[in-house]
Amino acid sequence: MTKSGSTSGGSGPLATARAARRRLVQSWFWSLIGLAAVAVIAVGAATYVSLSRLAETGTLVLETTEIIDQLNEVIMRVDEAETSQRGFVISGDDVDLALLETAKRRIPEHTTIIRTALTSSPELLEHLDELDALMAAKFRHLEEGIEIRRTSGFEAPRAALARQQATDVMQQTRQLVDHIEEHEANLVSAKMAERDRHRRTTELMIILGTVLASVSLIAVGLLRDIAGRRRAEGALQVSEQRYRGIVEHTPDVIFIHSDWKIVYINPSGLRL
């Protein structure tokens, strides 16, 4: 009876310890689950930011390419207008003015496209206003030569052409176009560098997040396995204690022998 009472008396602290361990395991389990979830969310957020930066840089590159193409179109149209005016001065035939008329119509279209793309760059919009003024001055000079050719014949436009050469705005136009192109190229370079920095940061976060999530999930699996084994051990201890209690309190004699030697006998057998 004394032995049975001792076993029963120790089950209270043992159960309390098992419950404490179970709570600790559950606490670690949910903490690791939360850590894995945070890692996954962080990786997703970093990937989203990186993709947004990539899309932004791609859009900027496309806009810059469009701006440079349109500026080159402007230069080409002005060259065509000059060629057209010179052809008319030589021939006096209005057919030679077709390219000039096309340039007068198309250049505003090109500058409108450029202006739309530069809405976020006030400084470049000011330069574009300068470009519009240069184009207006250029065509005034061209039309002046055309008018002199119409009214005064072939020889008279020479003085106007010489004056036009002295006041030619093409050099200023090219310098202005080069400045805008350089500004856009530098902007793209800065954005590309920023994109590369974000890409490297994102790659690092993805690696760290993946490792952290994997470690957390492995630890969760280990905790679940440990918790399962401890539950099985606890159930086995309870079963053993229950069986021991039955054996020690039954009025029947129960004994265990090995090689015909009694190694255990319950209290009922001892009382015989």
Side-chain angles (χ1 to χ4, degrees):
M1 293 295 290
T2 304
K3 189 175 182 180
S4 176
S6 173
T7 303
S8 178
S11 62
L14 185 61
T16 302
R18 284 201 301 269
R21 285 197 302 269
R22 187 163 53 249
R23 287 194 297 270
L24 180 61
V25 169
Q26 289 176 348
S27 175
W28 275 102
F29 176 83
W30 290 113
S31 297
L32 291 171
I33 287 290
L35 188 60
V38 169
V40 171
I41 292 172
V43 169
T47 303
Y48 173 78
V49 171
S50 181
L51 291 176
S52 298
R53 296 287 184 179
L54 181 62
E56 181 182 344
T57 302
T59 301
L60 180 62
V61 170
L62 291 176
E63 289 179 352
T64 299
T65 302
E66 179 67 15
I67 290 170
I68 292 175
D69 288 344
Q70 295 300 323
L71 288 171
N72 290 332
E73 285 287 332
V74 170
I75 296 295
M76 185 189 71
R77 297 293 180 186
V78 174
D79 287 339
E80 290 177 348
E82 284 185 334
T83 302
S84 180
Q85 188 240 30
R86 291 192 182 99
F88 175 78
V89 168
I90 294 171
S91 68
D93 190 347
D94 285 349
V95 173
D96 290 325
L97 296 177
L99 287 177
L100 186 144
E101 295 301 325
T102 300
K104 286 174 62 177
R105 185 178 68 256
R106 295 299 302 277
I107 285 177
E109 296 175 2
H110 297 314
T111 55
T112 298
I113 294 174
I114 297 171
R115 191 177 296 277
T116 301
L118 293 178
T119 51
S120 59
S121 301
E123 177 189 355
L124 294 185
L125 285 176
E126 292 179 4
H127 290 313
L128 194 58
D129 292 338
E130 295 177 25
L131 181 62
D132 288 338
L134 289 172
M135 291 298 96
K138 181 64 178 178
F139 279 99
R140 281 198 303 271
H141 294 154
L142 294 175
E143 290 170 356
E144 178 184 352
I146 293 170
E147 185 61 26
I148 292 175
R149 175 67 174 85
R150 289 185 189 280
T151 58
S152 304
F154 176 74
E155 295 297 329
R158 289 185 176 182
L161 288 173
R163 188 166 64 253
Q164 175 182 327
Q165 290 295 331
T167 59
D168 200 355
V169 296
M170 278 304 294
Q171 183 177 1
Q172 300 176 54
T173 301
R174 292 184 186 279
Q175 290 175 348
L176 189 58
V177 167
D178 288 343
H179 176 75
I180 295 175
E181 290 181 353
E182 181 181 4
H183 181 278
E184 288 297 301
N186 291 337
L187 183 60
V188 169
S189 297
K191 282 293 184 181
M192 294 287 283
E194 182 182 0
R195 184 203 63 179
D196 290 340
R197 288 195 300 272
H198 278 282
R199 178 179 55 79
R200 289 191 293 269
T201 302
T202 301
E203 289 175 352
L204 180 61
M205 290 190 66
I206 289 175
I207 293 172
L208 292 178
T210 302
V211 170
L212 183 59
S214 300
V215 171
S216 298
L217 293 177
I218 291 173
V220 166
L222 292 175
L223 285 175
R224 288 173 62 90
D225 185 56
I226 292 171
R229 286 203 301 269
R230 286 181 175 173
R231 283 195 299 270
E233 291 172 358
L236 180 60
Q237 288 178 355
V238 170
S239 177
E240 289 177 350
Q241 290 173 1
R242 186 175 300 149
Y243 178 75
R244 185 183 294 268
I246 293 172
V247 169
E248 291 182 350
H249 292 85
T250 181
D252 298 326
V253 175
I254 299 176
F255 65 92
I256 300 173
H257 69 88
S258 176
D259 294 332
W260 301 104
K261 292 180 181 180
I262 295 176
V263 295
Y264 171 81
I265 186 168
N266 66 343
S268 297
L270 292 175
R271 289 192 293 268
L272 291 178

PDB file of all heavy atoms in Angstrom, residues 5 17 27 31 36-37 40 42 49-50 82 86 90 96 102 141 169 175 213 215 217 222 235 245 251 255 259 265:
ATOM      1  N   GLY A   5       0.847   4.314  -2.727  1.00  0.00           N
ATOM      2  CA  GLY A   5       0.592   5.697  -2.315  1.00  0.00           C
ATOM      3  C   GLY A   5       1.688   6.607  -2.790  1.00  0.00           C
ATOM      4  O   GLY A   5       1.452   7.743  -3.179  1.00  0.00           O
ATOM      5  N   ALA A  17       4.541  19.196 -14.685  1.00  0.00           N
ATOM      6  CA  ALA A  17       5.734  19.374 -15.531  1.00  0.00           C
ATOM      7  C   ALA A  17       5.409  19.069 -16.983  1.00  0.00           C
ATOM      8  O   ALA A  17       5.853  19.781 -17.897  1.00  0.00           O
ATOM      9  CB  ALA A  17       6.862  18.480 -15.034  1.00  0.00           C
ATOM     10  N   SER A  27       4.045  27.117 -27.497  1.00  0.00           N
ATOM     11  CA  SER A  27       4.490  28.498 -27.660  1.00  0.00           C
ATOM     12  C   SER A  27       5.552  28.611 -28.752  1.00  0.00           C
ATOM     13  O   SER A  27       5.493  29.483 -29.628  1.00  0.00           O
ATOM     14  CB  SER A  27       5.037  29.029 -26.333  1.00  0.00           C
ATOM     15  OG  SER A  27       5.584  30.328 -26.491  1.00  0.00           O
ATOM     16  N   SER A  31       5.222  30.442 -32.440  1.00  0.00           N
ATOM     17  CA  SER A  31       6.226  31.482 -32.710  1.00  0.00           C
ATOM     18  C   SER A  31       6.948  31.214 -34.022  1.00  0.00           C
ATOM     19  O   SER A  31       7.148  32.125 -34.839  1.00  0.00           O
ATOM     20  CB  SER A  31       7.237  31.564 -31.556  1.00  0.00           C
ATOM     21  OG  SER A  31       6.604  31.954 -30.354  1.00  0.00           O
ATOM     22  N   ALA A  36       7.877  32.166 -39.823  1.00  0.00           N
ATOM     23  CA  ALA A  36       7.859  31.724 -41.220  1.00  0.00           C
ATOM     24  C   ALA A  36       6.904  32.581 -42.047  1.00  0.00           C
ATOM     25  O   ALA A  36       7.201  32.951 -43.187  1.00  0.00           O
ATOM     26  CB  ALA A  36       7.457  30.247 -41.299  1.00  0.00           C
ATOM     27  N   ALA A  37       5.743  32.913 -41.460  1.00  0.00           N
ATOM     28  CA  ALA A  37       4.774  33.755 -42.176  1.00  0.00           C
ATOM     29  C   ALA A  37       5.342  35.150 -42.432  1.00  0.00           C
ATOM     30  O   ALA A  37       5.195  35.704 -43.524  1.00  0.00           O
ATOM     31  CB  ALA A  37       3.481  33.847 -41.374  1.00  0.00           C
ATOM     32  N   VAL A  40       7.838  34.959 -45.282  1.00  0.00           N
ATOM     33  CA  VAL A  40       7.166  34.855 -46.581  1.00  0.00           C
ATOM     34  C   VAL A  40       6.597  36.208 -46.998  1.00  0.00           C
ATOM     35  O   VAL A  40       6.716  36.622 -48.162  1.00  0.00           O
ATOM     36  CB  VAL A  40       6.053  33.788 -46.531  1.00  0.00           C
ATOM     37  CG1 VAL A  40       5.208  33.825 -47.789  1.00  0.00           C
ATOM     38  CG2 VAL A  40       6.661  32.400 -46.351  1.00  0.00           C
ATOM     39  N   ALA A  42       7.651  39.176 -46.043  1.00  0.00           N
ATOM     40  CA  ALA A  42       8.775  40.066 -46.354  1.00  0.00           C
ATOM     41  C   ALA A  42       9.325  39.785 -47.748  1.00  0.00           C
ATOM     42  O   ALA A  42       9.615  40.713 -48.516  1.00  0.00           O
ATOM     43  CB  ALA A  42       9.880  39.912 -45.309  1.00  0.00           C
ATOM     44  N   VAL A  49       8.190  45.236 -54.580  1.00  0.00           N
ATOM     45  CA  VAL A  49       8.906  46.513 -54.741  1.00  0.00           C
ATOM     46  C   VAL A  49       9.902  46.429 -55.888  1.00  0.00           C
ATOM     47  O   VAL A  49      10.013  47.346 -56.711  1.00  0.00           O
ATOM     48  CB  VAL A  49       9.621  46.900 -53.427  1.00  0.00           C
ATOM     49  CG1 VAL A  49      10.541  48.099 -53.648  1.00  0.00           C
ATOM     50  CG2 VAL A  49       8.606  47.216 -52.338  1.00  0.00           C
ATOM     51  N   SER A  50      10.627  45.301 -55.962  1.00  0.00           N
ATOM     52  CA  SER A  50      11.609  45.131 -57.027  1.00  0.00           C
ATOM     53  C   SER A  50      10.947  45.129 -58.391  1.00  0.00           C
ATOM     54  O   SER A  50      11.429  45.772 -59.338  1.00  0.00           O
ATOM     55  CB  SER A  50      12.384  43.831 -56.813  1.00  0.00           C
ATOM     56  OG  SER A  50      13.348  43.653 -57.820  1.00  0.00           O
ATOM     57  N   GLU A  82      15.586  72.899 -94.837  1.00  0.00           N
ATOM     58  CA  GLU A  82      16.673  73.685 -95.433  1.00  0.00           C
ATOM     59  C   GLU A  82      16.958  73.225 -96.863  1.00  0.00           C
ATOM     60  O   GLU A  82      17.129  74.048 -97.779  1.00  0.00           O
ATOM     61  CB  GLU A  82      17.939  73.536 -94.591  1.00  0.00           C
ATOM     62  CG  GLU A  82      17.921  74.326 -93.297  1.00  0.00           C
ATOM     63  CD  GLU A  82      19.260  74.211 -92.573  1.00  0.00           C
ATOM     64  OE1 GLU A  82      19.971  73.206 -92.774  1.00  0.00           O
ATOM     65  OE2 GLU A  82      19.578  75.130 -91.808  1.00  0.00           O
ATOM     66  N   ARG A  86      16.534  75.490-100.323  1.00  0.00           N
ATOM     67  CA  ARG A  86      17.628  75.697-101.264  1.00  0.00           C
ATOM     68  C   ARG A  86      17.235  75.212-102.662  1.00  0.00           C
ATOM     69  O   ARG A  86      17.580  75.827-103.684  1.00  0.00           O
ATOM     70  CB  ARG A  86      18.877  74.976-100.777  1.00  0.00           C
ATOM     71  CG  ARG A  86      19.494  75.583 -99.527  1.00  0.00           C
ATOM     72  CD  ARG A  86      20.880  75.016 -99.261  1.00  0.00           C
ATOM     73  NE  ARG A  86      21.434  75.573 -98.045  1.00  0.00           N
ATOM     74  CZ  ARG A  86      21.433  74.986 -96.858  1.00  0.00           C
ATOM     75  NH1 ARG A  86      20.867  73.791 -96.737  1.00  0.00           N
ATOM     76  NH2 ARG A  86      21.952  75.571 -95.801  1.00  0.00           N
ATOM     77  N   ILE A  90      16.963  77.558-106.140  1.00  0.00           N
ATOM     78  CA  ILE A  90      17.631  77.230-107.404  1.00  0.00           C
ATOM     79  C   ILE A  90      16.624  77.083-108.534  1.00  0.00           C
ATOM     80  O   ILE A  90      16.819  77.618-109.629  1.00  0.00           O
ATOM     81  CB  ILE A  90      18.463  75.945-107.247  1.00  0.00           C
ATOM     82  CG1 ILE A  90      19.612  76.186-106.265  1.00  0.00           C
ATOM     83  CG2 ILE A  90      18.990  75.455-108.596  1.00  0.00           C
ATOM     84  CD1 ILE A  90      20.364  74.932-105.877  1.00  0.00           C
ATOM     85  N   ASP A  96       9.503  71.855-105.057  1.00  0.00           N
ATOM     86  CA  ASP A  96      10.649  71.669-104.169  1.00  0.00           C
ATOM     87  C   ASP A  96      10.343  72.068-102.733  1.00  0.00           C
ATOM     88  O   ASP A  96      11.160  71.799-101.835  1.00  0.00           O
ATOM     89  CB  ASP A  96      11.839  72.487-104.685  1.00  0.00           C
ATOM     90  CG  ASP A  96      12.399  71.919-105.976  1.00  0.00           C
ATOM     91  OD1 ASP A  96      12.381  70.682-106.130  1.00  0.00           O
ATOM     92  OD2 ASP A  96      12.837  72.699-106.845  1.00  0.00           O
ATOM     93  N   THR A 102       5.985  69.826 -95.260  1.00  0.00           N
ATOM     94  CA  THR A 102       5.828  68.651 -94.388  1.00  0.00           C
ATOM     95  C   THR A 102       6.518  68.889 -93.051  1.00  0.00           C
ATOM     96  O   THR A 102       5.981  68.542 -91.986  1.00  0.00           O
ATOM     97  CB  THR A 102       6.422  67.406 -95.068  1.00  0.00           C
ATOM     98  OG1 THR A 102       5.739  67.177 -96.299  1.00  0.00           O
ATOM     99  CG2 THR A 102       6.286  66.181 -94.178  1.00  0.00           C
ATOM    100  N   HIS A 141      13.299  82.508 -91.179  1.00  0.00           N
ATOM    101  CA  HIS A 141      14.436  82.738 -92.066  1.00  0.00           C
ATOM    102  C   HIS A 141      14.235  82.012 -93.398  1.00  0.00           C
ATOM    103  O   HIS A 141      14.527  82.566 -94.469  1.00  0.00           O
ATOM    104  CB  HIS A 141      15.721  82.264 -91.401  1.00  0.00           C
ATOM    105  CG  HIS A 141      16.095  83.057 -90.196  1.00  0.00           C
ATOM    106  ND1 HIS A 141      16.864  82.547 -89.173  1.00  0.00           N
ATOM    107  CD2 HIS A 141      15.816  84.343 -89.833  1.00  0.00           C
ATOM    108  CE1 HIS A 141      17.031  83.462 -88.237  1.00  0.00           C
ATOM    109  NE2 HIS A 141      16.396  84.557 -88.612  1.00  0.00           N
ATOM    110  N   VAL A 169      20.185  79.016 -86.769  1.00  0.00           N
ATOM    111  CA  VAL A 169      19.854  78.522 -85.430  1.00  0.00           C
ATOM    112  C   VAL A 169      20.108  77.019 -85.307  1.00  0.00           C
ATOM    113  O   VAL A 169      19.830  76.421 -84.263  1.00  0.00           O
ATOM    114  CB  VAL A 169      18.367  78.808 -85.093  1.00  0.00           C
ATOM    115  CG1 VAL A 169      18.106  80.288 -85.041  1.00  0.00           C
ATOM    116  CG2 VAL A 169      17.437  78.108 -86.085  1.00  0.00           C
ATOM    117  N   GLN A 175      22.643  71.909 -80.068  1.00  0.00           N
ATOM    118  CA  GLN A 175      23.143  71.973 -78.691  1.00  0.00           C
ATOM    119  C   GLN A 175      22.018  71.734 -77.692  1.00  0.00           C
ATOM    120  O   GLN A 175      22.193  71.020 -76.690  1.00  0.00           O
ATOM    121  CB  GLN A 175      23.800  73.330 -78.437  1.00  0.00           C
ATOM    122  CG  GLN A 175      25.121  73.528 -79.167  1.00  0.00           C
ATOM    123  CD  GLN A 175      25.680  74.916 -78.988  1.00  0.00           C
ATOM    124  OE1 GLN A 175      24.998  75.829 -78.505  1.00  0.00           O
ATOM    125  NE2 GLN A 175      26.946  75.104 -79.373  1.00  0.00           N
ATOM    126  N   ALA A 213      12.403  30.886 -43.477  1.00  0.00           N
ATOM    127  CA  ALA A 213      11.145  30.141 -43.530  1.00  0.00           C
ATOM    128  C   ALA A 213      11.402  28.640 -43.500  1.00  0.00           C
ATOM    129  O   ALA A 213      10.687  27.891 -42.814  1.00  0.00           O
ATOM    130  CB  ALA A 213      10.364  30.530 -44.788  1.00  0.00           C
ATOM    131  N   VAL A 215      14.055  27.025 -42.225  1.00  0.00           N
ATOM    132  CA  VAL A 215      14.494  26.642 -40.879  1.00  0.00           C
ATOM    133  C   VAL A 215      13.315  26.616 -39.915  1.00  0.00           C
ATOM    134  O   VAL A 215      13.184  25.701 -39.077  1.00  0.00           O
ATOM    135  CB  VAL A 215      15.587  27.604 -40.383  1.00  0.00           C
ATOM    136  CG1 VAL A 215      15.890  27.364 -38.903  1.00  0.00           C
ATOM    137  CG2 VAL A 215      16.860  27.427 -41.204  1.00  0.00           C
ATOM    138  N   LEU A 217      10.132  26.111 -40.617  1.00  0.00           N
ATOM    139  CA  LEU A 217       9.252  24.974 -40.891  1.00  0.00           C
ATOM    140  C   LEU A 217       9.894  23.660 -40.447  1.00  0.00           C
ATOM    141  O   LEU A 217       9.198  22.768 -39.942  1.00  0.00           O
ATOM    142  CB  LEU A 217       8.933  24.928 -42.384  1.00  0.00           C
ATOM    143  CG  LEU A 217       8.068  26.096 -42.894  1.00  0.00           C
ATOM    144  CD1 LEU A 217       7.876  26.004 -44.397  1.00  0.00           C
ATOM    145  CD2 LEU A 217       6.698  26.107 -42.198  1.00  0.00           C
ATOM    146  N   LEU A 222      10.176  19.379 -36.274  1.00  0.00           N
ATOM    147  CA  LEU A 222      10.870  18.732 -35.163  1.00  0.00           C
ATOM    148  C   LEU A 222      10.093  18.870 -33.864  1.00  0.00           C
ATOM    149  O   LEU A 222       9.988  17.915 -33.076  1.00  0.00           O
ATOM    150  CB  LEU A 222      12.272  19.328 -35.008  1.00  0.00           C
ATOM    151  CG  LEU A 222      13.258  19.017 -36.137  1.00  0.00           C
ATOM    152  CD1 LEU A 222      14.565  19.766 -35.920  1.00  0.00           C
ATOM    153  CD2 LEU A 222      13.517  17.515 -36.222  1.00  0.00           C
ATOM    154  N   ALA A 235       1.598   9.005 -22.232  1.00  0.00           N
ATOM    155  CA  ALA A 235       0.520   8.011 -22.224  1.00  0.00           C
ATOM    156  C   ALA A 235       1.023   6.667 -21.717  1.00  0.00           C
ATOM    157  O   ALA A 235       0.326   5.954 -20.980  1.00  0.00           O
ATOM    158  CB  ALA A 235      -0.057   7.866 -23.633  1.00  0.00           C
ATOM    159  N   GLY A 245      -0.860   0.142 -10.387  1.00  0.00           N
ATOM    160  CA  GLY A 245      -1.864   0.276  -9.323  1.00  0.00           C
ATOM    161  C   GLY A 245      -2.774  -0.935  -9.245  1.00  0.00           C
ATOM    162  O   GLY A 245      -3.115  -1.405  -8.150  1.00  0.00           O
ATOM    163  N   PRO A 251      -6.320  -8.468  -4.958  1.00  0.00           N
ATOM    164  CA  PRO A 251      -6.144  -9.510  -3.923  1.00  0.00           C
ATOM    165  C   PRO A 251      -5.480 -10.770  -4.479  1.00  0.00           C
ATOM    166  O   PRO A 251      -5.040 -11.638  -3.712  1.00  0.00           O
ATOM    167  CB  PRO A 251      -7.575  -9.791  -3.475  1.00  0.00           C
ATOM    168  CG  PRO A 251      -8.422  -9.416  -4.649  1.00  0.00           C
ATOM    169  CD  PRO A 251      -7.744  -8.261  -5.307  1.00  0.00           C
ATOM    170  N   PHE A 255       3.092 -12.506  -9.807  1.00  0.00           N
ATOM    171  CA  PHE A 255       4.546 -12.456  -9.690  1.00  0.00           C
ATOM    172  C   PHE A 255       5.153 -12.623 -11.077  1.00  0.00           C
ATOM    173  O   PHE A 255       4.523 -13.085 -12.017  1.00  0.00           O
ATOM    174  CB  PHE A 255       5.068 -13.539  -8.736  1.00  0.00           C
ATOM    175  CG  PHE A 255       4.832 -14.940  -9.219  1.00  0.00           C
ATOM    176  CD1 PHE A 255       5.805 -15.601  -9.977  1.00  0.00           C
ATOM    177  CD2 PHE A 255       3.642 -15.602  -8.925  1.00  0.00           C
ATOM    178  CE1 PHE A 255       5.582 -16.886 -10.415  1.00  0.00           C
ATOM    179  CE2 PHE A 255       3.428 -16.884  -9.372  1.00  0.00           C
ATOM    180  CZ  PHE A 255       4.392 -17.539 -10.120  1.00  0.00           C
ATOM    181  N   ASP A 259      14.087 -17.350 -15.324  1.00  0.00           N
ATOM    182  CA  ASP A 259      14.874 -18.556 -15.064  1.00  0.00           C
ATOM    183  C   ASP A 259      14.468 -19.186 -13.726  1.00  0.00           C
ATOM    184  O   ASP A 259      15.316 -19.574 -12.923  1.00  0.00           O
ATOM    185  CB  ASP A 259      16.384 -18.235 -15.056  1.00  0.00           C
ATOM    186  CG  ASP A 259      16.896 -17.799 -16.417  1.00  0.00           C
ATOM    187  OD1 ASP A 259      16.295 -18.226 -17.427  1.00  0.00           O
ATOM    188  OD2 ASP A 259      17.873 -17.014 -16.475  1.00  0.00           O
ATOM    189  N   ILE A 265       6.991  -9.714  -7.018  1.00  0.00           N
ATOM    190  CA  ILE A 265       5.747 -10.268  -6.505  1.00  0.00           C
ATOM    191  C   ILE A 265       4.973  -9.143  -5.876  1.00  0.00           C
ATOM    192  O   ILE A 265       5.539  -8.252  -5.220  1.00  0.00           O
ATOM    193  CB  ILE A 265       6.018 -11.402  -5.465  1.00  0.00           C
ATOM    194  CG1 ILE A 265       4.696 -12.060  -5.066  1.00  0.00           C
ATOM    195  CG2 ILE A 265       6.812 -10.905  -4.271  1.00  0.00           C
ATOM    196  CD1 ILE A 265       4.883 -13.358  -4.280  1.00  0.00           C
TER     197      ILE A 265
END
